[in-house]
């Protein structure tokens, strides 16, 4: 605030005295820990061909048992400790987070911290029923994944014959419950749903939601990723611009995943998440917690660190805190910057397990 400002002075926040293990952390590349993505289940009611292909995640697939999942109390405790290390944003994800029973209860517990940026990513299939409860529980923001408005294409991509209309109803229910702006994530895969790009842009532009295009990534080890399947964001910018002119915007904050563009007619914005063609490792401040309490420091990781054993073995807050510090301070990941056809073949952890 400038000296002559007439705005009332905010009381200064008391300086937080942190124990040595309770401090803001920096990894080996100077990146702070700011975001934590929490997977609350490894199960999903969709079988998106690029994420949980049926041939792998079929009837015989061994999902986690209930007792293996972190309880809401355990998640709450971890969030409290992660906050002490600088985490400001929590994204609840999965699998499909809305298939976890009584998820609203967890939201309510986390919404207690009103300075926490709390958000959730869903496939939208259960949103029509749950949007109001999530909002009432204190959820502030929501992202819905949707890959096409073309019903046969969408049904084929989710591979459980789920209709587009029900996801759109879910998005409407979320808007009616007071979420906004709603973000919609579309994974674009060459030869599969490119033709849906402009119709999706037009549809969500008219409704004031922010559509973000995600480059198809080589996450996990089961989606048969090839570079030829990736539609680079710069190509999408051109495709959209030809019909709906757009121009670049400044990022909201350092490390923002999506590059922001706005429609020149002033009707809103779109985003591009270019993990493949324009890696953003340099600014990556995210950690991911699997549903059973393994902590990963990269979406493309092959190994995590077990927190559940420590929690259930009677570990103190200080011990948990020290493990967070140890893991983050040793972090050197920058997978997307060094990706090659060879690294893409590594047995990376699945996105449905680690959380999207
Ligand atoms: N079930 C929730 C959902 O659908 O949003 C949350 C989990 S899902 C794994 C999170 C996001 O990851 C979705 O937007 C999904 O499309 C995206 N995703 C999954 N596999 C991907 C891949 N190989 N490349 C890019 N995005 C992917």
């Amino acid at each position: 605030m400038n000296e002559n400002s007439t705005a009332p002075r905010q009381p200064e926040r008391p300086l937080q005295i942190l124990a040595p293990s309770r401090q803001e952390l920096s990894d080996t590349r100077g990146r702070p820990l700011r975001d934590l993505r929490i997977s609350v289940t490894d199960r999903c009611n969709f079988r998106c061909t690029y994420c949980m292909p049926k041939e792998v995640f079929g009837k015989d697939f061994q999902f986690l048992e209930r007792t293996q999942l972190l309880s809401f109390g355990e998640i709450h405790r971890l969030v409290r400790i992660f906050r002490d290390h600088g985490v400001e944003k929590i994204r609840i994800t999965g699998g499909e987070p809305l298939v976890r029973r009584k998820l609203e209860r967890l939201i309510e517990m986390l919404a207690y911290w009103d300075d926490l940026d709390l958000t959730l990513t869903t496939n939208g299939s259960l949103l029509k029923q749950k949007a109001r409860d999530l909002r009432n529980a204190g959820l502030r923001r929501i992202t819905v994944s949707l890959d096409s408005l073309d019903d046969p294409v969408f049904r084929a991509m989710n591979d459980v014959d789920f209709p587009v209309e029900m996801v759109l109803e879910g998005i409407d229910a979320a808007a009616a419950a007071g979420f906004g702006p709603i973000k919609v994530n579309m994974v674009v895969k060459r030869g599969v749903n490119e033709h849906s790009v402009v119709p999706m842009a037009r549809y969500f532009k008219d409704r004031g939601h922010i559509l973000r295009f995600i480059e198809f990534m080589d996450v996990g080890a089961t989606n048969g990723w090839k570079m030829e399947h990736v539609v680079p964001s710069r190509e999408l910018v051109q495709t959209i611009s030809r019909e709906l002119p757009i121009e670049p915007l400044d990022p909201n904050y350092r490390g923002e995943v999506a590059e922001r563009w706005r429609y020149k007619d002033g009707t809103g914005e779109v985003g591009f998440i270019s993990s493949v063609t324009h890696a953003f490792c340099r600014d990556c401040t995210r950690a991911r917690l699997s549903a059973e309490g393994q902590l990963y420091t990269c979406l493309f990781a092959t190994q995590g660190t077990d927190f559940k054993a420590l929690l259930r073995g009677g570990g103190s807050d200080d011990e948990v805190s020290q493990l967070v510090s140890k893991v983050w301070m040793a972090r050197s990941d920058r997978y997307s910057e060094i990706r090659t056809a060879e690294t893409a073949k590594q047995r990376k952890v699945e996105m449905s397990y680690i959380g999207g």
Side-chain angles (χ1 to χ4, degrees):
M1 198 186 345
N2 115 15
E3 272 178 37
N4 302 323
S5 164
T6 51
R9 254 182 91 85
Q10 293 291 321
E12 277 181 17
R13 289 180 74 173
L15 199 76
Q16 221 183 336
I17 310 292
L18 301 167
S21 58
R22 306 262 177 107
Q23 59 194 6
E24 296 228 344
L25 302 172
S26 197
D27 72 6
T28 62
R29 297 180 190 279
R31 299 167 295 191
L33 171 58
R34 289 276 179 265
D35 318 65
L36 181 63
R37 299 197 171 187
I38 303 175
S39 170
V40 290
T41 177
D42 58 338
R43 293 169 198 254
C44 186
N45 52 348
F46 283 11
R47 284 292 174 275
C48 296
T49 48
Y50 59 79
C51 185
M52 293 183 79
K54 261 184 186 159
E55 311 80 67
V56 179
F57 297 90
K59 277 201 296 293
D60 299 330
F61 187 81
Q62 276 290 309
F63 288 101
L64 297 170
E65 299 292 340
R66 243 191 110 62
T67 53
Q68 292 177 282
L69 302 180
L70 291 187
S71 69
F72 292 165
E74 287 166 335
I75 294 175
H76 181 263
R77 181 176 173 208
L78 284 175
V79 170
R80 177 166 54 74
I81 294 168
F82 272 86
R83 272 172 55 82
D84 285 342
H85 288 296
V87 164
E88 297 164 345
K89 178 171 172 184
I90 300 284
R91 179 176 296 278
I92 302 296
T93 178
E96 170 48 40
L98 300 189
V99 304
R100 175 89 185 242
R101 280 183 47 221
K102 302 211 169 74
L103 185 75
E104 310 79 67
R105 179 72 198 111
L106 175 66
I107 299 294
E108 214 168 68
M109 289 161 76
L110 301 180
Y112 164 83
W113 289 292
D114 57 13
D115 57 345
L116 191 64
D117 183 1
L118 180 61
T119 181
L120 174 143
T121 301
T122 172
N123 62 25
S125 58
L126 301 169
L127 203 48
K128 190 173 174 189
Q129 299 93 293
K130 304 215 168 188
R132 181 73 57 186
D133 287 348
L134 290 167
R135 184 72 185 169
N136 290 343
L139 186 65
R140 298 185 248 281
R141 299 195 296 119
I142 204 156
T143 300
V144 181
S145 304
L146 178 65
D147 296 332
S148 183
L149 290 176
D150 180 330
D151 197 49
V153 169
F154 181 62
R155 286 178 193 252
M157 286 183 85
N158 64 55
D159 214 12
V160 292
D161 210 24
F162 199 87
V164 171
E165 200 47 45
M166 286 180 69
V167 177
L168 297 179
E169 285 173 13
I171 295 173
D172 290 346
F179 288 104
I182 295 170
K183 289 185 181 151
V184 178
N185 281 355
M186 170 180 181
V187 176
V188 186
K189 192 171 170 192
R190 177 86 70 202
V192 177
N193 62 340
E194 289 154 283
H195 68 286
S196 303
V197 166
V198 172
M200 285 276 288
R202 193 166 274 129
Y203 182 92
F204 290 110
K205 167 184 187 289
D206 290 346
R207 283 158 184 80
H209 306 321
I210 301 177
L211 178 61
R212 294 152 9 130
F213 299 96
I214 307 181
E215 288 178 348
F216 175 52
M217 296 183 283
D218 54 328
V219 285
T222 59
N223 70 8
W225 183 89
K226 289 202 182 73
M227 192 63 204
E228 302 94 91
H229 297 147
V230 179
V231 183
S233 294
R234 63 174 182 282
E235 186 180 321
L236 293 176
V237 167
Q238 286 167 359
T239 308
I240 294 169
S241 255
R242 274 197 292 272
E243 308 242 356
L244 308 163
I246 51 176
E247 60 193 6
L249 276 173
D250 287 335
N252 281 322
Y253 54 89
R254 182 185 164 204
E256 191 169 31
V257 172
E259 283 162 41
R260 300 169 60 216
W261 289 64
R262 77 167 157 227
Y263 293 105
K264 285 190 179 167
D265 67 4
T267 52
E269 63 178 86
V270 274
F272 297 88
I273 302 178
S274 321
S275 163
V276 179
T277 62
H278 191 198
F280 36 81
C281 305
R282 192 174 311 142
D283 285 330
C284 179
T285 56
R286 278 174 294 286
R288 295 177 140 86
L289 187 66
S290 79
E292 60 171 342
Q294 293 277 333
L295 187 72
Y296 293 87
T297 54
C298 177
L299 175 57
F300 302 93
T302 48
Q303 264 189 325
T305 303
D306 186 10
F307 274 72
K308 187 173 63 182
L310 184 57
L311 295 179
R312 296 197 180 167
S316 66
D317 283 0
D318 262 346
E319 285 168 318
V320 176
S321 184
Q322 277 162 24
L323 188 57
V324 175
S325 306
K326 187 172 157 216
V327 170
W328 194 262
M329 288 163 79
R331 177 188 193 239
S332 61
D333 310 86
R334 55 184 198 103
Y335 178 86
S336 291
E337 288 178 355
I338 54 171
R339 169 188 288 109
T340 62
E342 279 314 300
T343 59
K345 288 184 202 145
Q346 288 167 2
R347 284 213 72 77
K348 297 175 256 59
V349 66
E350 292 300 325
M351 195 157 177
S352 54
Y353 171 83
I354 198 177

